[in-house]
Amino acid sequence: MNNRIYLSSPHMSDEGYEMEYIKNAFDSNWIAPLGENVNKFEEEMATFVRSKAGAALSSGTAAIHLALRAVGVEEGDIVFCSTLTFSATANPIIYQNAVPVFIDSDDKTWNMCPKALEKAFRKYPSVKAVIVVHLYGLSADMDKIVELCKRYNVALIEDAAESLGTLYKGKHTGTFGDYGIFSFNGNKIITTSGGGMLVSDKEERIEKVRFWATQSKDPARHYEHSELGFNYRMSNVVAGIGRGQLKVLEERVKKKRYIYKFYKRELGNLEGVEMMPMNSWDHPNYWLSCLSLKGKVRPFDIIEALEQENIESRPIWKPMHMQPFFEKYDYIGTDISETLFNNGICLPSDTKMEDEDLSRIVKIIKKLW
Ligand SMILES: *Cc1c(COP(=O)(O)O)cnc(C)c1O
């Protein structure tokens, strides 16, 4: 059997940058908590995405949770959320005992539809925050979404967990709203084994997030707490991996783009195949190469055929409003996200793949036509 090909697996630098930073942490015994790698990783990430400050946290999910707290989302508040996403986007709304309202995608971006968002604003003018997702490294239509949030004076949080390195009109996703979050989970474009980052230009709010993330310890000699605390901080060892990975991010984007172009060239003209949408403003990180199938070959035909050759592929995320846990909440839209779910597939996008792996994959797929 061939070695398994993954959708997207951890890819450490050939140069061993990550190990150097980990070694520094060991040598200085700053294993935990915090330390130089955490501070530097926050600075380096903020510099990279051109944001004023960042808080390194234990996960992207934790970053969304604290972003909701930072904008003041409380029990009973309404939060608009892209429906086509991973559940980690929506779960923190429930952690806050707030109420999600799911917003449909549009065909043009696969991300939050500005028209559906506008409709939602008219229905729920008292909404507290909007969480917009940049799926698979494609950016949402930010001009329209930012304009709507400004018009209704509502806080905007960007879930850029999948889109680190993606630019919209030259500006990094995650830096358009009040807060942006990134994830360094094992399958993301760069990974720390697990971790997340909250970025914002509101430096004093980021300071507050760091305080909440370390159990809200008030400045006192004894343990004093005047606010609810969380144990959400990133460790200094993990941050070392992140610093090393950040050095190869551009290289990873380049390879991901190469993979996408390969699939587009080989599969883009097959009957019924539509590659994921590219817009003139887009400079994606191509985290996963996805396509939508309108013909007789169905996503599971491809997934099955690849699985038999020990190759991983996946359907597109199942929309939140279709999930048993979330279906009781309101949903604004038509059936765009449902159609994308029914027709969409994520192809193997692992940056360790060689040309021969890619050739093998497209050969297996083409046989189905
Ligand atoms: C991975 C992911 C997250 C969660 O990040 P974790 O670091 O795994 O908590 C959130 N949103 C989206 C869209 C993701 O893909």
Side-chain angles (χ1 to χ4, degrees):
M1 199 69 172
N2 288 300
N3 280 339
R4 185 159 178 82
I5 295 177
Y6 291 96
L7 203 61
S8 183
S9 71
H11 189 174
M12 295 297 119
S13 68
D14 293 335
E15 296 84 353
Y17 298 132
E18 298 85 355
M19 279 313 268
E20 277 171 44
Y21 290 119
I22 292 174
K23 190 168 180 306
N24 287 349
F26 274 67
D27 290 348
S28 61
N29 204 35
W30 278 111
I31 304 302
L34 304 173
E36 192 193 13
N37 282 337
V38 172
N39 300 336
K40 284 282 184 347
F41 188 36
E42 289 177 341
E43 276 174 40
E44 288 158 4
M45 271 291 293
T47 304
F48 178 76
V49 301
R50 282 173 259 134
S51 184
K52 284 206 179 122
L57 301 170
S58 53
S59 69
T61 311
I64 297 169
H65 189 190
L66 294 188
L68 288 170
R69 291 186 74 86
V71 302
V73 167
E74 289 173 3
E75 183 167 358
D77 285 341
I78 287 166
V79 177
F80 296 159
C81 178
S82 302
T83 192
L84 191 64
T85 186
F86 180 46
S87 64
T89 312
N91 284 333
I93 302 171
I94 309 297
Y95 302 166
Q96 283 301 100
N97 295 308
V99 182
V101 170
F102 295 109
I103 314 289
D104 202 7
S105 304
D106 66 15
D107 266 330
K108 203 173 147 205
T109 64
W110 287 14
N111 284 305
M112 188 182 274
C113 171
K115 283 203 189 92
L117 178 63
E118 185 161 16
K119 208 166 153 197
F121 274 124
R122 274 188 255 114
K123 184 163 178 188
Y124 297 101
S126 65
V127 57
K128 196 69 185 258
V130 175
I131 308 179
V132 62
V133 181
H134 303 289
L135 218 56
Y136 303 123
L138 303 171
S139 64
D141 189 352
M142 291 314 287
D143 281 351
K144 288 190 187 135
I145 289 166
V146 167
E147 193 273 316
L148 281 167
C149 289
K150 287 213 170 110
R151 197 194 312 160
Y152 287 87
N153 196 22
V154 171
L156 177 60
I157 297 166
E158 288 176 84
D159 179 346
E162 303 178 1
S163 69
L164 177 58
T166 294
L167 304 171
Y168 172 90
K169 298 188 179 172
K171 187 172 156 72
H172 279 272
T173 53
T175 64
F176 286 84
D178 300 272
Y179 297 91
I181 78 95
F182 298 99
S183 165
F184 311 109
N185 190 10
N187 62 1
K188 297 303 191 306
I189 191 156
I190 61 170
T191 180
T192 60
S193 73
M197 185 79 65
L198 179 60
V199 300
S200 177
D201 284 340
K202 303 176 202 300
E203 288 164 280
E204 89 299 341
R205 295 308 279 165
I206 291 291
E207 197 50 57
K208 187 75 174 185
V209 162
R210 294 188 189 117
F211 168 80
W212 289 333
T214 44
Q215 308 284 23
S216 295
K217 283 182 245 157
D218 292 341
R221 285 215 180 271
H222 60 281
Y223 286 99
E224 180 83 4
H225 306 278
S226 47
E227 286 186 67
L228 178 62
F230 299 85
N231 185 4
Y232 274 176
R233 208 63 166 115
M234 182 181 278
S235 96
N236 199 45
V237 175
V238 158
I241 308 176
R243 294 183 73 191
Q245 284 272 278
L246 198 51
K247 292 192 173 195
V248 293
L249 174 59
E250 298 287 8
E251 216 177 290
R252 296 290 175 267
V253 172
K254 222 185 247 175
K255 181 65 188 259
K256 296 269 192 193
R257 185 190 310 129
Y258 178 85
I259 293 167
Y260 176 82
K261 301 256 146 117
F262 195 103
Y263 286 135
K264 186 175 175 177
R265 189 174 63 240
E266 296 291 329
L267 306 174
N269 295 323
L270 292 176
E271 194 178 330
V273 167
E274 271 175 32
M275 301 299 290
M276 63 188 187
M278 292 291 152
N279 288 286
S280 56
W281 63 65
D282 253 332
H283 181 94
N285 71 359
Y286 299 92
W287 174 54
L288 295 185
S289 284
C290 305
L291 44 87
S292 156
L293 296 164
K294 302 275 164 73
K296 67 177 201 321
V297 178
R298 305 308 303 146
F300 277 99
D301 299 331
I302 296 182
I303 292 169
E304 285 296 319
L306 290 174
E307 196 52 53
Q308 281 186 5
E309 299 288 326
N310 205 18
I311 299 166
E312 185 188 20
S313 61
R314 289 278 174 92
I316 297 284
W317 298 123
K318 181 174 177 182
M320 290 304 111
H321 73 276
M322 297 170 71
Q323 299 288 352
F325 182 74
F326 288 112
E327 68 190 4
K328 64 172 179 278
Y329 298 103
D330 199 5
Y331 160 67
I332 310 281
T334 49
D335 58 356
I336 307 286
S337 54
E338 275 183 59
T339 305
L340 286 169
F341 168 60
N342 288 328
N343 296 338
I345 173 170
C346 308
L347 296 176
S349 307
D350 199 274
T351 47
K352 293 187 295 308
M353 287 191 294
E354 306 283 354
D355 274 6
E356 54 191 284
D357 299 316
L358 286 165
S359 301
R360 198 156 67 84
I361 291 164
V362 298
K363 205 167 137 201
I364 296 164
I365 294 173
K366 280 176 173 169
K367 258 199 242 156
L368 298 165
W369 260 263

PDB file of all heavy atoms in Angstrom, residues 63-91:
ATOM      1  N   ALA A  63      -9.693  31.804  20.855  1.00  0.00           N
ATOM      2  CA  ALA A  63      -9.563  33.169  20.336  1.00  0.00           C
ATOM      3  C   ALA A  63     -10.939  33.727  19.958  1.00  0.00           C
ATOM      4  O   ALA A  63     -11.245  34.886  20.245  1.00  0.00           O
ATOM      5  CB  ALA A  63      -8.617  33.187  19.135  1.00  0.00           C
ATOM      6  N   ILE A  64     -11.794  32.898  19.355  1.00  0.00           N
ATOM      7  CA  ILE A  64     -13.151  33.357  19.019  1.00  0.00           C
ATOM      8  C   ILE A  64     -13.931  33.643  20.298  1.00  0.00           C
ATOM      9  O   ILE A  64     -14.616  34.660  20.415  1.00  0.00           O
ATOM     10  CB  ILE A  64     -13.893  32.312  18.147  1.00  0.00           C
ATOM     11  CG1 ILE A  64     -13.174  32.135  16.806  1.00  0.00           C
ATOM     12  CG2 ILE A  64     -15.349  32.738  17.919  1.00  0.00           C
ATOM     13  CD1 ILE A  64     -13.666  30.946  15.992  1.00  0.00           C
ATOM     14  N   HIS A  65     -13.777  32.749  21.275  1.00  0.00           N
ATOM     15  CA  HIS A  65     -14.487  32.933  22.544  1.00  0.00           C
ATOM     16  C   HIS A  65     -14.115  34.277  23.188  1.00  0.00           C
ATOM     17  O   HIS A  65     -14.971  35.060  23.580  1.00  0.00           O
ATOM     18  CB  HIS A  65     -14.174  31.770  23.489  1.00  0.00           C
ATOM     19  CG  HIS A  65     -15.015  31.759  24.725  1.00  0.00           C
ATOM     20  ND1 HIS A  65     -14.777  30.929  25.783  1.00  0.00           N
ATOM     21  CD2 HIS A  65     -16.090  32.513  25.073  1.00  0.00           C
ATOM     22  CE1 HIS A  65     -15.682  31.154  26.730  1.00  0.00           C
ATOM     23  NE2 HIS A  65     -16.478  32.113  26.322  1.00  0.00           N
ATOM     24  N   LEU A  66     -12.807  34.559  23.257  1.00  0.00           N
ATOM     25  CA  LEU A  66     -12.390  35.806  23.911  1.00  0.00           C
ATOM     26  C   LEU A  66     -12.678  37.028  23.043  1.00  0.00           C
ATOM     27  O   LEU A  66     -12.892  38.118  23.574  1.00  0.00           O
ATOM     28  CB  LEU A  66     -10.920  35.723  24.327  1.00  0.00           C
ATOM     29  CG  LEU A  66     -10.638  34.679  25.433  1.00  0.00           C
ATOM     30  CD1 LEU A  66      -9.210  34.794  25.940  1.00  0.00           C
ATOM     31  CD2 LEU A  66     -11.621  34.789  26.602  1.00  0.00           C
ATOM     32  N   ALA A  67     -12.736  36.855  21.731  1.00  0.00           N
ATOM     33  CA  ALA A  67     -13.141  37.973  20.862  1.00  0.00           C
ATOM     34  C   ALA A  67     -14.597  38.347  21.169  1.00  0.00           C
ATOM     35  O   ALA A  67     -14.936  39.527  21.256  1.00  0.00           O
ATOM     36  CB  ALA A  67     -12.981  37.598  19.390  1.00  0.00           C
ATOM     37  N   LEU A  68     -15.435  37.337  21.365  1.00  0.00           N
ATOM     38  CA  LEU A  68     -16.842  37.607  21.703  1.00  0.00           C
ATOM     39  C   LEU A  68     -16.930  38.341  23.039  1.00  0.00           C
ATOM     40  O   LEU A  68     -17.720  39.280  23.197  1.00  0.00           O
ATOM     41  CB  LEU A  68     -17.641  36.296  21.759  1.00  0.00           C
ATOM     42  CG  LEU A  68     -17.916  35.629  20.411  1.00  0.00           C
ATOM     43  CD1 LEU A  68     -18.504  34.228  20.617  1.00  0.00           C
ATOM     44  CD2 LEU A  68     -18.876  36.466  19.564  1.00  0.00           C
ATOM     45  N   ARG A  69     -16.106  37.929  23.997  1.00  0.00           N
ATOM     46  CA  ARG A  69     -16.099  38.627  25.295  1.00  0.00           C
ATOM     47  C   ARG A  69     -15.568  40.051  25.137  1.00  0.00           C
ATOM     48  O   ARG A  69     -16.056  40.981  25.769  1.00  0.00           O
ATOM     49  CB  ARG A  69     -15.260  37.857  26.318  1.00  0.00           C
ATOM     50  CG  ARG A  69     -15.907  36.531  26.718  1.00  0.00           C
ATOM     51  CD  ARG A  69     -15.141  35.845  27.829  1.00  0.00           C
ATOM     52  NE  ARG A  69     -15.320  36.483  29.136  1.00  0.00           N
ATOM     53  CZ  ARG A  69     -16.318  36.227  29.977  1.00  0.00           C
ATOM     54  NH1 ARG A  69     -17.248  35.340  29.666  1.00  0.00           N
ATOM     55  NH2 ARG A  69     -16.386  36.846  31.138  1.00  0.00           N
ATOM     56  N   ALA A  70     -14.559  40.196  24.267  1.00  0.00           N
ATOM     57  CA  ALA A  70     -13.952  41.520  24.076  1.00  0.00           C
ATOM     58  C   ALA A  70     -14.943  42.512  23.463  1.00  0.00           C
ATOM     59  O   ALA A  70     -14.866  43.705  23.740  1.00  0.00           O
ATOM     60  CB  ALA A  70     -12.702  41.405  23.210  1.00  0.00           C
ATOM     61  N   VAL A  71     -15.870  42.025  22.634  1.00  0.00           N
ATOM     62  CA  VAL A  71     -16.864  42.946  22.077  1.00  0.00           C
ATOM     63  C   VAL A  71     -18.104  43.029  22.965  1.00  0.00           C
ATOM     64  O   VAL A  71     -19.054  43.730  22.637  1.00  0.00           O
ATOM     65  CB  VAL A  71     -17.278  42.601  20.614  1.00  0.00           C
ATOM     66  CG1 VAL A  71     -16.063  42.596  19.703  1.00  0.00           C
ATOM     67  CG2 VAL A  71     -18.024  41.293  20.522  1.00  0.00           C
ATOM     68  N   GLY A  72     -18.083  42.294  24.083  1.00  0.00           N
ATOM     69  CA  GLY A  72     -19.161  42.425  25.065  1.00  0.00           C
ATOM     70  C   GLY A  72     -20.384  41.578  24.797  1.00  0.00           C
ATOM     71  O   GLY A  72     -21.487  41.920  25.237  1.00  0.00           O
ATOM     72  N   VAL A  73     -20.213  40.469  24.082  1.00  0.00           N
ATOM     73  CA  VAL A  73     -21.360  39.577  23.844  1.00  0.00           C
ATOM     74  C   VAL A  73     -21.715  38.851  25.142  1.00  0.00           C
ATOM     75  O   VAL A  73     -20.853  38.248  25.781  1.00  0.00           O
ATOM     76  CB  VAL A  73     -21.049  38.563  22.722  1.00  0.00           C
ATOM     77  CG1 VAL A  73     -22.084  37.449  22.689  1.00  0.00           C
ATOM     78  CG2 VAL A  73     -20.983  39.272  21.378  1.00  0.00           C
ATOM     79  N   GLU A  74     -22.971  38.954  25.517  1.00  0.00           N
ATOM     80  CA  GLU A  74     -23.436  38.365  26.777  1.00  0.00           C
ATOM     81  C   GLU A  74     -24.660  37.496  26.539  1.00  0.00           C
ATOM     82  O   GLU A  74     -25.153  37.417  25.415  1.00  0.00           O
ATOM     83  CB  GLU A  74     -23.813  39.475  27.761  1.00  0.00           C
ATOM     84  CG  GLU A  74     -22.606  40.229  28.289  1.00  0.00           C
ATOM     85  CD  GLU A  74     -23.001  41.428  29.128  1.00  0.00           C
ATOM     86  OE1 GLU A  74     -24.214  41.644  29.346  1.00  0.00           O
ATOM     87  OE2 GLU A  74     -22.076  42.152  29.546  1.00  0.00           O
ATOM     88  N   GLU A  75     -25.143  36.902  27.611  1.00  0.00           N
ATOM     89  CA  GLU A  75     -26.300  36.015  27.556  1.00  0.00           C
ATOM     90  C   GLU A  75     -27.469  36.664  26.801  1.00  0.00           C
ATOM     91  O   GLU A  75     -27.834  37.811  27.072  1.00  0.00           O
ATOM     92  CB  GLU A  75     -26.735  35.661  28.977  1.00  0.00           C
ATOM     93  CG  GLU A  75     -27.893  34.687  28.988  1.00  0.00           C
ATOM     94  CD  GLU A  75     -28.149  34.083  30.362  1.00  0.00           C
ATOM     95  OE1 GLU A  75     -27.394  34.387  31.309  1.00  0.00           O
ATOM     96  OE2 GLU A  75     -29.108  33.297  30.465  1.00  0.00           O
ATOM     97  N   GLY A  76     -28.007  35.925  25.837  1.00  0.00           N
ATOM     98  CA  GLY A  76     -29.185  36.394  25.108  1.00  0.00           C
ATOM     99  C   GLY A  76     -28.883  37.281  23.911  1.00  0.00           C
ATOM    100  O   GLY A  76     -29.776  37.547  23.111  1.00  0.00           O
ATOM    101  N   ASP A  77     -27.638  37.737  23.784  1.00  0.00           N
ATOM    102  CA  ASP A  77     -27.290  38.589  22.635  1.00  0.00           C
ATOM    103  C   ASP A  77     -27.322  37.787  21.335  1.00  0.00           C
ATOM    104  O   ASP A  77     -26.979  36.602  21.317  1.00  0.00           O
ATOM    105  CB  ASP A  77     -25.872  39.169  22.796  1.00  0.00           C
ATOM    106  CG  ASP A  77     -25.834  40.293  23.818  1.00  0.00           C
ATOM    107  OD1 ASP A  77     -26.897  40.854  24.124  1.00  0.00           O
ATOM    108  OD2 ASP A  77     -24.722  40.591  24.311  1.00  0.00           O
ATOM    109  N   ILE A  78     -27.684  38.478  20.265  1.00  0.00           N
ATOM    110  CA  ILE A  78     -27.693  37.832  18.952  1.00  0.00           C
ATOM    111  C   ILE A  78     -26.346  38.038  18.261  1.00  0.00           C
ATOM    112  O   ILE A  78     -25.781  39.135  18.298  1.00  0.00           O
ATOM    113  CB  ILE A  78     -28.851  38.371  18.095  1.00  0.00           C
ATOM    114  CG1 ILE A  78     -30.158  37.801  18.647  1.00  0.00           C
ATOM    115  CG2 ILE A  78     -28.693  37.996  16.616  1.00  0.00           C
ATOM    116  CD1 ILE A  78     -31.382  38.473  18.142  1.00  0.00           C
ATOM    117  N   VAL A  79     -25.825  36.966  17.668  1.00  0.00           N
ATOM    118  CA  VAL A  79     -24.570  37.032  16.918  1.00  0.00           C
ATOM    119  C   VAL A  79     -24.803  36.400  15.547  1.00  0.00           C
ATOM    120  O   VAL A  79     -25.226  35.244  15.454  1.00  0.00           O
ATOM    121  CB  VAL A  79     -23.435  36.273  17.654  1.00  0.00           C
ATOM    122  CG1 VAL A  79     -22.150  36.296  16.832  1.00  0.00           C
ATOM    123  CG2 VAL A  79     -23.191  36.859  19.047  1.00  0.00           C
ATOM    124  N   PHE A  80     -24.540  37.173  14.493  1.00  0.00           N
ATOM    125  CA  PHE A  80     -24.618  36.612  13.137  1.00  0.00           C
ATOM    126  C   PHE A  80     -23.340  35.835  12.849  1.00  0.00           C
ATOM    127  O   PHE A  80     -22.255  36.276  13.210  1.00  0.00           O
ATOM    128  CB  PHE A  80     -24.753  37.725  12.091  1.00  0.00           C
ATOM    129  CG  PHE A  80     -26.019  38.532  12.184  1.00  0.00           C
ATOM    130  CD1 PHE A  80     -26.076  39.795  11.608  1.00  0.00           C
ATOM    131  CD2 PHE A  80     -27.143  38.030  12.817  1.00  0.00           C
ATOM    132  CE1 PHE A  80     -27.244  40.556  11.682  1.00  0.00           C
ATOM    133  CE2 PHE A  80     -28.319  38.780  12.897  1.00  0.00           C
ATOM    134  CZ  PHE A  80     -28.360  40.046  12.332  1.00  0.00           C
ATOM    135  N   CYS A  81     -23.497  34.692  12.165  1.00  0.00           N
ATOM    136  CA  CYS A  81     -22.351  33.805  11.956  1.00  0.00           C
ATOM    137  C   CYS A  81     -22.496  33.120  10.589  1.00  0.00           C
ATOM    138  O   CYS A  81     -23.590  32.656  10.249  1.00  0.00           O
ATOM    139  CB  CYS A  81     -22.359  32.755  13.066  1.00  0.00           C
ATOM    140  SG  CYS A  81     -21.060  31.537  12.963  1.00  0.00           S
ATOM    141  N   SER A  82     -21.427  33.066   9.823  1.00  0.00           N
ATOM    142  CA  SER A  82     -21.452  32.324   8.554  1.00  0.00           C
ATOM    143  C   SER A  82     -21.945  30.910   8.824  1.00  0.00           C
ATOM    144  O   SER A  82     -21.459  30.255   9.745  1.00  0.00           O
ATOM    145  CB  SER A  82     -20.041  32.202   7.959  1.00  0.00           C
ATOM    146  OG  SER A  82     -19.462  33.458   7.758  1.00  0.00           O
ATOM    147  N   THR A  83     -22.873  30.426   8.031  1.00  0.00           N
ATOM    148  CA  THR A  83     -23.373  29.069   8.267  1.00  0.00           C
ATOM    149  C   THR A  83     -22.428  28.004   7.714  1.00  0.00           C
ATOM    150  O   THR A  83     -22.280  26.927   8.285  1.00  0.00           O
ATOM    151  CB  THR A  83     -24.796  28.859   7.690  1.00  0.00           C
ATOM    152  OG1 THR A  83     -25.309  27.627   8.201  1.00  0.00           O
ATOM    153  CG2 THR A  83     -24.821  28.828   6.163  1.00  0.00           C
ATOM    154  N   LEU A  84     -21.765  28.333   6.584  1.00  0.00           N
ATOM    155  CA  LEU A  84     -20.882  27.343   5.961  1.00  0.00           C
ATOM    156  C   LEU A  84     -19.507  27.455   6.599  1.00  0.00           C
ATOM    157  O   LEU A  84     -18.668  28.276   6.200  1.00  0.00           O
ATOM    158  CB  LEU A  84     -20.789  27.585   4.452  1.00  0.00           C
ATOM    159  CG  LEU A  84     -20.099  26.464   3.653  1.00  0.00           C
ATOM    160  CD1 LEU A  84     -20.892  25.171   3.721  1.00  0.00           C
ATOM    161  CD2 LEU A  84     -19.887  26.866   2.197  1.00  0.00           C
ATOM    162  N   THR A  85     -19.271  26.645   7.613  1.00  0.00           N
ATOM    163  CA  THR A  85     -18.014  26.714   8.363  1.00  0.00           C
ATOM    164  C   THR A  85     -17.875  25.475   9.226  1.00  0.00           C
ATOM    165  O   THR A  85     -18.751  24.613   9.273  1.00  0.00           O
ATOM    166  CB  THR A  85     -17.972  27.988   9.237  1.00  0.00           C
ATOM    167  OG1 THR A  85     -16.676  28.092   9.851  1.00  0.00           O
ATOM    168  CG2 THR A  85     -19.024  27.974  10.335  1.00  0.00           C
ATOM    169  N   PHE A  86     -16.766  25.410   9.936  1.00  0.00           N
ATOM    170  CA  PHE A  86     -16.521  24.385  10.939  1.00  0.00           C
ATOM    171  C   PHE A  86     -17.220  24.811  12.236  1.00  0.00           C
ATOM    172  O   PHE A  86     -17.327  26.012  12.509  1.00  0.00           O
ATOM    173  CB  PHE A  86     -15.003  24.270  11.128  1.00  0.00           C
ATOM    174  CG  PHE A  86     -14.569  23.256  12.132  1.00  0.00           C
ATOM    175  CD1 PHE A  86     -15.116  21.981  12.149  1.00  0.00           C
ATOM    176  CD2 PHE A  86     -13.588  23.567  13.059  1.00  0.00           C
ATOM    177  CE1 PHE A  86     -14.697  21.040  13.083  1.00  0.00           C
ATOM    178  CE2 PHE A  86     -13.163  22.631  13.991  1.00  0.00           C
ATOM    179  CZ  PHE A  86     -13.717  21.376  14.003  1.00  0.00           C
ATOM    180  N   SER A  87     -17.670  23.850  13.007  1.00  0.00           N
ATOM    181  CA  SER A  87     -18.463  24.158  14.209  1.00  0.00           C
ATOM    182  C   SER A  87     -17.721  25.048  15.202  1.00  0.00           C
ATOM    183  O   SER A  87     -18.350  25.729  16.014  1.00  0.00           O
ATOM    184  CB  SER A  87     -18.877  22.853  14.898  1.00  0.00           C
ATOM    185  OG  SER A  87     -17.724  22.174  15.362  1.00  0.00           O
ATOM    186  N   ALA A  88     -16.402  25.056  15.140  1.00  0.00           N
ATOM    187  CA  ALA A  88     -15.605  25.865  16.085  1.00  0.00           C
ATOM    188  C   ALA A  88     -15.910  27.354  15.962  1.00  0.00           C
ATOM    189  O   ALA A  88     -15.698  28.105  16.909  1.00  0.00           O
ATOM    190  CB  ALA A  88     -14.113  25.627  15.861  1.00  0.00           C
ATOM    191  N   THR A  89     -16.425  27.783  14.804  1.00  0.00           N
ATOM    192  CA  THR A  89     -16.798  29.193  14.651  1.00  0.00           C
ATOM    193  C   THR A  89     -18.000  29.518  15.529  1.00  0.00           C
ATOM    194  O   THR A  89     -18.070  30.585  16.136  1.00  0.00           O
ATOM    195  CB  THR A  89     -17.184  29.492  13.178  1.00  0.00           C
ATOM    196  OG1 THR A  89     -16.195  28.958  12.311  1.00  0.00           O
ATOM    197  CG2 THR A  89     -17.305  30.987  12.940  1.00  0.00           C
ATOM    198  N   ALA A  90     -18.946  28.598  15.565  1.00  0.00           N
ATOM    199  CA  ALA A  90     -20.236  28.867  16.209  1.00  0.00           C
ATOM    200  C   ALA A  90     -20.268  28.478  17.686  1.00  0.00           C
ATOM    201  O   ALA A  90     -20.965  29.116  18.482  1.00  0.00           O
ATOM    202  CB  ALA A  90     -21.346  28.134  15.456  1.00  0.00           C
ATOM    203  N   ASN A  91     -19.522  27.462  18.083  1.00  0.00           N
ATOM    204  CA  ASN A  91     -19.593  26.985  19.473  1.00  0.00           C
ATOM    205  C   ASN A  91     -19.373  28.082  20.520  1.00  0.00           C
ATOM    206  O   ASN A  91     -20.113  28.133  21.513  1.00  0.00           O
ATOM    207  CB  ASN A  91     -18.602  25.837  19.690  1.00  0.00           C
ATOM    208  CG  ASN A  91     -19.100  24.529  19.099  1.00  0.00           C
ATOM    209  OD1 ASN A  91     -20.298  24.310  18.969  1.00  0.00           O
ATOM    210  ND2 ASN A  91     -18.178  23.652  18.729  1.00  0.00           N
TER     211      ASN A  91
END
